[in-house]
Each structure stands twice: as C-alpha cells, then as structure tokens.
Amino acid sequence: MPLFEIETDAHIIITWAADESSAGNVVREAYPGDRVIRMTKRPRDTWVISKGALGLSAKKVDVCATARDCLSKSSGDKVHAIRLYMHETGTDLEHARKVIESNMVMGW
C-alpha cells in the first residue's frame, strides 16, 4: 500500500492508503475542517524526518521545493531528478546534483 504525504492548512499527515481518494478520506475523517493543500504519493514505503529541516539541530537546512518536486516527478530516481532540476532551473550539473542529493538526505 502506498505512503502518502498530505499537507493541509493546519497539518502534515503521513498515511498509507490504496489511492489518492482514500488518502483524502483519511484527512476528511480525522480533520474535517482542514483543507488539503498538497498531496504527494511517496516513492518508497518509509518516511524520514530531518531534524535539521525542523530546526531541531544546529545545522541550518534550506528545503528546496523545486528539488522535492523534481524528486516526486522522478519517483525518487536521482539521475532523472537531477535532469529535471537542471531543466526547470537552468543550473549546471554539479549544482543540480548537490541540491537533489541534499534534499534526498533531508527525508526523501
């Protein structure tokens, strides 16, 4: 069963569901007043939360929405995500590799 990341106006929910419709039902049942802002089907069946991304470590982490979007579009395929990032941002290969790899470490 796929793992979904669902962001609402008040929560971030991680849940297993058969499909997007079922994942949406989980939100409606648990938080009927919340509006779904973003729903992402995770490419793997585990979830990792970076303490740095939450501000719980001394290191500052810059979460890049474009890189995470490229990783999502590529289903976690690093090489494809790097190509997508280069295409969408116009950056060179080395910069794109660093951004994608750092976002993979932060919980992808």
Side-chain angles (χ1 to χ4, degrees), residues 26-96:
V26 169
V27 175
R28 283 187 287 282
E29 290 173 10
Y31 303 100
D34 283 14
R35 180 177 55 89
V36 174
I37 296 170
R38 179 179 55 86
M39 184 180 305
T40 305
K41 181 179 174 184
R42 304 298 296 181
R44 296 188 175 87
D45 63 355
T46 58
W47 179 255
V48 177
I49 298 173
S50 167
K51 286 184 171 183
L54 296 175
L56 300 176
S57 70
K59 290 191 280 183
K60 293 288 183 190
V61 178
D62 181 25
V63 179
C64 179
T66 304
R68 292 183 63 83
D69 186 49
C70 290
L71 282 161
S72 179
K73 289 177 184 175
S74 68
S75 299
D77 179 336
K78 181 173 86 171
V79 174
H80 186 57
I82 290 169
R83 287 185 189 125
L84 286 171
Y85 189 84
M86 288 171 60
H87 176 72
E88 290 186 19
T89 63
T91 63
D92 65 2
L93 176 63
E94 186 61 21
H95 179 75

